[in-house]
Amino acid sequence: MKPSELLALVATLMLSAGAWLRWRLPWLCSDAEEEAKDKKITETEARRRIRRLHSACPVLTFVGLGLLVVALLLALR
């Protein structure tokens, strides 16, 4: 497997993970809020988890997109 193909595979997985996370975001945030309500985690931990989830979606998507562009440039080289 060429490095550009491997990079494209990783990029595709990251893009897929970002899309999946964005699709599941309302449920994951709701789960964190429920855990805070049930006193399984503190309210601060729930807010931190929600903030992490909200920032992970675009990070995964844009890093995956960047890697896909790099893989394309490597393949055209």
Side-chain angles (χ1 to χ4, degrees):
M1 182 176 267
K2 295 179 186 177
S4 60
E5 292 172 349
L6 183 61
L7 197 57
L9 178 63
V10 170
T12 303
L13 290 174
M14 289 182 79
L15 283 168
S16 299
W20 177 84
L21 187 59
R22 181 64 190 114
W23 177 65
R24 293 280 304 157
L25 191 61
W27 292 284
L28 294 171
C29 291
S30 176
D31 289 346
E33 291 169 356
E34 286 296 321
E35 287 180 16
K37 245 194 273 185
D38 295 341
K39 305 284 189 214
K40 292 180 182 175
I41 60 175
T42 65
E43 206 172 302
T44 306
E45 289 171 333
R47 271 190 255 121
R48 191 177 311 130
R49 184 185 298 177
I50 291 169
R51 193 171 41 247
R52 248 188 256 132
L53 287 168
H54 275 280
S55 60
C57 290
V59 167
L60 279 171
T61 303
F62 287 121
V63 170
L65 186 61
L67 287 177
L68 199 57
V69 169
V70 169
L72 177 66
L73 292 174
L74 285 175
L76 293 176
R77 225 165 135 208

